[in-house]
Amino acid sequence: MSQLSPSRDLRELPKTQLHLHLTGAMRPATLIELAGRYGVTVPPPLPGAAGTWAAFQDRYDASRAVLRTAADVGRVIAEAASDDAADGCGWLEIQVDPTSYLPVFGSLEAALEAVLAGAAAAPIPVGVLVASSWQRSPAHAVTLARLAARYAGAGVVGFGLSNDERGASVADFTPAFKLAREAGLLAAPHSGFYTPATHVQECVELLGAARIGHGTSAATDPAVVELLASRGVALEICPTSYPPFGVHELSTIPVKTFLAAGVPVAVSTDDPLLFGVGLAGQYEILRDFLGLTDEDLAAVAVGGVQASAAPAEVRTRLVAEVAAWLATGSQ
Ligand SMILES: [Zn+2]
């Protein structure tokens, strides 16, 4: 524990953000402003309405309803990228289910192009993941995988499945992920939040997941931990997403289990609008609640860089900057 330096400003640690949903990336002040402009009533913030997925979804849906134009979408991405950059982020991946914006944009293409335009104009490099939902049909996932594949190389870097992963058959989504992977896209489904380690295992073995959104239940099964480590599958761990749903307390998130086993951990914020903590704050939680040292935090930051879809020059630069950060602290 002697390596702990609690006063060190973790905004200075170079890092990535790999798990951020467009709607949940909105600044609270922007939500209030846009809700007023469009006459949308937004349910009270978490934690007042915490504890159930339904309460979360209600607020999320209301927040989504304030994004009406490409300018609104571009503003949210620019502000999110600016906030993450201030927290030391050098590469941001934002995920969106364009289906959610179909009613306002008129087509999936128009919705995705609004996101891509916002990403291209952001103050730091931004990649886009197209995400279908575990709660929508496998056929719809194929539709979105085809859409994502068409924009591979034009800003789309990955394909995912978000939302509550319970109740759906992993195997049914194999065709969508095959399409995405054949287009060179990174496969990054949510898993292991509500579902057991076997669900994480299926996402790796059947969907070819290179990363798992959350995936913390894998820690309960050493064979799945070993699978993740041997294949270099990274877990996008978002510390503040777990306590409101009773998934973990901040002090029981199994980050050390994964790091000790060689599983890459990429710390992200998920939905800072709803959970209230930014990217550097998530790293502070790992230090303050889990006792991670500077070396551990640097390993997490590097894990995020290596698990990202960032171009080689961005990855090389960020890894060097993390090493410099660590060297500076140990002088
Ligand atoms: Zn998520």
Side-chain angles (χ1 to χ4, degrees), residues 19-21 53 95 162-163 190 213-214 236 238 241 270-271:
H19 190 128
L20 178 67
H21 298 274
W53 188 267
Q95 61 181 283
S162 58
N163 215 308
H190 285 54
H214 306 299
E236 302 156 3
C238 311
S241 298
D270 206 0
D271 297 291

Side-chain angles (χ1 to χ4, degrees), residues 139-213:
H140 188 70
V142 167
T143 298
L144 288 188
R146 284 208 181 96
L147 175 73
R150 289 214 307 277
Y151 289 86
V156 173
V157 298
F159 179 74
L161 276 177
S162 58
N163 215 308
D164 184 344
E165 76 267 23
R166 291 172 293 188
S169 158
V170 176
D172 288 349
F173 291 91
T174 303
F177 278 87
K178 184 167 185 288
L179 257 166
R181 284 186 286 105
E182 286 176 354
L185 299 176
L186 188 147
H190 285 54
S191 176
F193 185 89
Y194 282 127
T195 50
T198 49
H199 193 276
V200 176
Q201 179 180 355
E202 288 183 349
C203 285
V204 173
E205 293 181 340
L206 302 180
L207 306 184
R211 296 200 315 242
I212 298 288

